[in-house]
């Protein structure tokens, strides 16, 4: 572990602008001080030098002198310039960070002297040979990609596949970026660039293979469950893992979940593992196929029914049926939860709740056990919660703000775009409305 503020030495300046990865060009010398110590007494000294030791990937800071990667001297001769001859196995050298210990003055002598070291014994001076292996991916890319412009630090990994969203100016470096990410992340076999923002119906994106195998069948683990899918044909976002867990934690085992835009099952499978009954739906036939696969693979098929239809229709048929059954059996403790995670559109689906039941199906003295969790985007950064609640009310066609339990910020999608969840209890006045849900031009909310 590097100490706070400690940066490993960067690659040589000459790699800037490289578009074909030449791993040999990353070699550079690094002059360091080092202490030669008896291996047997080394532990308390290392404790003292914790923040002074050299921290470089794939280079042990404490090792026998003979095993160090020392620079060949330019005029031939022994490696390591003035390096002393190698010791036996009872001696080790401790490499010191040249930024923190440029010379003997940088060492904590007051602590070292009681341990038998003396300021009179000056440290060794060694010239190490750093190579491609000694830099992390971010250091390699920072050194190669154009200086002073947006870099490429953010990517997501799903199983053996990394996907990223390259800015225009980085496209010429696409293959190199892919190779570096693959080199530096063991187990990655495929690196792709998303070619567009996700704006098609099924929320998957077209992608360009940057490097590796064109194998998009991935295996992901999330919240203790496994998910298999064809990543090029379905929606999957590892950044929603915490939200999936958060939502499922709100369910009780006696509840029923209606997952209207279920994807390949990241709400469905863990909810069923929690022993909830789940009705899971997705319009995309590929998502539906993998949803079924994942339900079976996680052995929850006895609690899950799957559907392949439009989310609104799912509410109008399956949620309606479940609600009727539930209201006819008031002794049941469970609640019905409807999850609509299709943030670009789902807020419009809430009109499907309007007039879902006839008034005589909802006993006047009975609370309606129906809670909806609707995901949506907003660009109203300054008044996000209010704009989300207004959008809900506008689409339900009436002011339901007093039935809202939570307006939760799920994540920042882009600098000017936030993803929210609005959780609300669908009231009898909406379910039994005799109209088709008059669409308010702009909802007027009651002030809290
Ligand atoms: C943003 S993804 C969410 C998937 C999953 N629930 C999750 O949390 O990762 C939205 C899903 O809605 C599906 N979808 C798109 N339009 C739909 C519609 N009209 N009805 C039902 N599902 C739809 C897409 O295929 C996609 O799987």
């Amino acid at each position: 572990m590097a100490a706070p503020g400690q940066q490993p030495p960067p690659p040589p300046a000459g790699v800037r602008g490289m578009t074909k990865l030449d791993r040999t060009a990353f070699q550079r010398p690094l002059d360091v001080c080092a202490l030669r110590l008896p291996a047997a007494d080394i532990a308390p000294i290392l404790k003292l030098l914790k923040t002074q030791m050299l921290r470089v990937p794939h280079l042990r800071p404490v090792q026998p002198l003979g095993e160090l990667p020392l620079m060949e001297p330019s005029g031939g001769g022994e490696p390591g310039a003035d390096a002393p001859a190698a010791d036996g196995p009872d001696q080790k050298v401790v490499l010191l960070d040249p930024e923190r210990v440029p010379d003997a003055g940088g060492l904590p002598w007051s602590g070292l002297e009681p341990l038998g070291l003396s300021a009179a014994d000056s440290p060794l001076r060694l010239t190490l040979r750093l190579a491609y292996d000694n830099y992390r991916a971010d250091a390699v890319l920072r050194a190669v990609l154009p200086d002073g412009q947006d870099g490429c630090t953010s990517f997501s990994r799903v199983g053996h596949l990394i996907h990223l969203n390259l800015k225009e100016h980085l496209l010429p470096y696409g293959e190199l970026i892919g190779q570096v990410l693959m080199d530096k992340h063991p187990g990655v076999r495929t690196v792709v660039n998303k070619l567009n923002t996700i704006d098609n119906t099924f929320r998957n994106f077209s992608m360009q293979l940057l490097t590796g195998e064109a194998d998009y069948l991935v295996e992901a683990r999330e919240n203790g469950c496994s998910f298999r899918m064809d990543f090029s044909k379905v929606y999957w976002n590892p950044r929603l893992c915490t939200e999936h867990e958060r939502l499922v934690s709100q369910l009780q085992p006696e509840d029923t979940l209606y997952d209207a835009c279920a994807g390949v099952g990241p709400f469905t499978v863990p909810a069923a593992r929690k022993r909830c009954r789940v009705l899971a739906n997705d319009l995309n036939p590929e998502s539906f196929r993998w949803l079924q696969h994942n339900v079976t693979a996680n052995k929850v098929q006895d609690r899950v029914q799957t559907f392949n239809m439009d989310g609104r229709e799912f509410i109008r048929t399956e949620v309606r049926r479940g609600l009727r059954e539930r209201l006819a059996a008031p002794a049941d403790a469970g609640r019905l939860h409807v999850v609509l995670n299709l943030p670009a559109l789902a807020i419009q689906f809430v009109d499907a709740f309007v007039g879902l039941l006839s008034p005589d199906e909802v006993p006047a003295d009975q609370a309606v056990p129906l809670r909806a969790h609707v995901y949506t985007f907003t660009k109203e950064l300054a008044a996000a919660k209010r704009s989300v609640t207004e959008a809900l009310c506008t689409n339900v066609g009436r002011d339901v703000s007093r039935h809202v339990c939570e307006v939760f910020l799920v994540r920042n999608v882009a600098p000017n775009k936030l993803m929210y969840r609005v959780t609300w209890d669908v009231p009898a006045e909406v379910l039994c409305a005799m109209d088709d849900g008059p669409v308010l031009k702009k909802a007027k909310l009651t002030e809290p």
Side-chain angles (χ1 to χ4, degrees), residues 201-203 235 244 260-263 266 282-284 310-311 341-342 349:
T201 308
F202 297 143
R203 324 317 294 163
Y235 177 91
H244 294 144
C261 307
D282 202 281
L283 184 62
N284 178 354
D310 175 67
N341 183 13
L342 176 59
F349 292 3

Side-chain angles (χ1 to χ4, degrees), residues 12-29:
V15 299
R16 170 94 53 220
M18 170 190 287
T19 51
K20 286 246 162 286
L21 182 61
D22 174 7
R23 295 175 183 84
T24 62
F26 286 80
Q27 288 195 11
R28 60 157 278 182

Side-chain angles (χ1 to χ4, degrees), residues 1-4 6 45-55 95-97 99-101 106 108:
M1 271 276 289
Q6 196 174 8
I45 299 173
L46 294 185
K47 214 165 154 193
L48 237 133
L49 294 175
K50 225 162 50 192
T51 58
Q52 276 100 352
M53 274 194 266
L54 180 68
R55 304 291 178 179
L95 301 173
L96 300 167
D97 182 344
E99 291 288 319
R100 299 189 173 219
V101 189

Side-chain angles (χ1 to χ4, degrees), residues 156-158 220-225 227 235-249 265-267 270 341 375 408 410-411 419 421:
S156 294
R157 179 170 177 178
V158 184
R221 279 200 77 75
E222 189 180 283
N223 297 321
C225 308
F227 298 92
Y235 177 91
W236 179 266
N237 188 344
R239 293 182 181 152
L240 288 179
C241 170
T242 311
E243 176 58 15
H244 294 144
E245 185 181 24
R246 192 182 293 118
L247 196 283
V248 172
S249 75
F267 289 120
N341 183 13
Y375 291 85
F408 185 81
V410 178
R411 68 186 199 98
M419 176 177 171
R421 165 172 43 82

Side-chain angles (χ1 to χ4, degrees), residues 256 258 315 319-320 323 326-327 334-338 353 356-357 367-372 424-427 431:
T256 302
Y258 290 82
I315 296 174
V319 177
R320 170 183 276 152
L323 201 49
R326 175 66 181 75
L327 288 167
R335 205 193 276 268
L336 275 60
H337 292 260
V338 181
F353 290 114
L356 202 58
L357 302 177
V368 180
L370 178 63
R371 182 164 283 185
W424 58 299
D425 286 330
V426 187
L431 293 170

